[in-house]
């Protein structure tokens, strides 16, 4: 399972914390409002909160914790329940008082990045290029500088025949 992003959303749709692990991850400013609206719609229609929503290559796994929704965006529809629970419990234990008295400063929650890395593990959240995603200039610029030259060569390989490329000369 590939992890694209983590979001912590307040009941009013504002994003308290977000961390993207790929250039393809949906922008938090769009996703948090959309997911909040979808949650409210599903709650109104069914009487319960949704646990996951899928679109394209993304599956948004959602879990409510009081006034918060923890969202883990992955490439797999299998629900990562222990991970969602760990993220939600850790966030509330660490920042519960700040959530209740929140004045709109998201910088108060930046330290949650340490917990995210601890829970998800560094190996599962390394930045990488999705081979199914076309290499765009945005994707290229989002790569670590060490990988940009390799990515440029991959682009050239895709746009030219092998007899036109001079690799290693």
């Amino acid at each position: 399972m590939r992890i694209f992003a983590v979001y912590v959303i307040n009941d009013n749709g504002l994003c308290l914390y977000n961390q993207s692990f790929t250039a393809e991850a949906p922008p938090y400013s769009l996703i948090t409002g959309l997911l909040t609206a979808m949650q409210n719609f599903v709650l109104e229609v069914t009487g319960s909160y949704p646990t996951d929503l899928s679109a394209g290559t993304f599956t948004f796994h959602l879990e409510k914790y009081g006034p918060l929704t923890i969202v883990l965006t992955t490439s797999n529809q299998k629900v990562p329940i222990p991970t969602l629970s760990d993220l939600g419990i850790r966030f509330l234990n660490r920042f519960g008082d700040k959530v209740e008295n929140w004045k709109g400063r998201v910088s108060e929650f930046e330290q949650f990045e340490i917990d995210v890395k601890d829970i998800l593990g560094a190996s599962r959240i390394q930045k990488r290029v999705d081979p199914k995603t076309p290499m765009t200039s945005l994707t290229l610029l989002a790569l670590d500088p060490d990988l940009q030259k390799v990515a440029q060569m991959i682009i050239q390989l895709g746009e030219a025949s092998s007899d036109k490329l001079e690799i290693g000369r």
Side-chain angles (χ1 to χ4, degrees), residues 7-17 31-41 43 49-50 62-71 91-92 99-100 102 109:
Y7 308 98
V8 178
I9 307 170
N10 203 339
D11 273 344
N12 60 10
L14 296 175
C15 187
L16 303 183
Y17 175 83
I31 286 302
T32 55
L34 172 70
L35 292 177
T36 301
M38 288 299 293
Q39 272 188 312
N40 290 333
F41 172 75
L43 179 63
Y49 287 101
L62 305 98
E63 192 162 319
K64 286 288 290 173
Y65 286 90
L68 304 175
T69 300
I70 306 298
V71 180
F91 192 90
L92 281 179
V99 170
E100 289 180 20
W102 189 51
F109 308 109

Side-chain angles (χ1 to χ4, degrees), residues 107-144:
S107 61
E108 296 178 42
F109 308 109
E110 287 176 353
Q111 293 179 348
F112 192 56
E113 179 177 352
I114 297 165
D115 298 288
V116 169
K117 285 182 180 176
D118 180 46
I119 292 167
L120 298 181
S123 64
R124 291 175 64 194
I125 57 175
Q126 289 179 347
K127 294 189 178 205
R128 60 184 184 176
V129 177
D130 186 345
K132 293 181 273 180
T133 303
M135 182 67 70
T136 64
S137 56
L138 178 62
T139 306
L140 183 64
L141 292 173
L143 291 173
D144 292 333

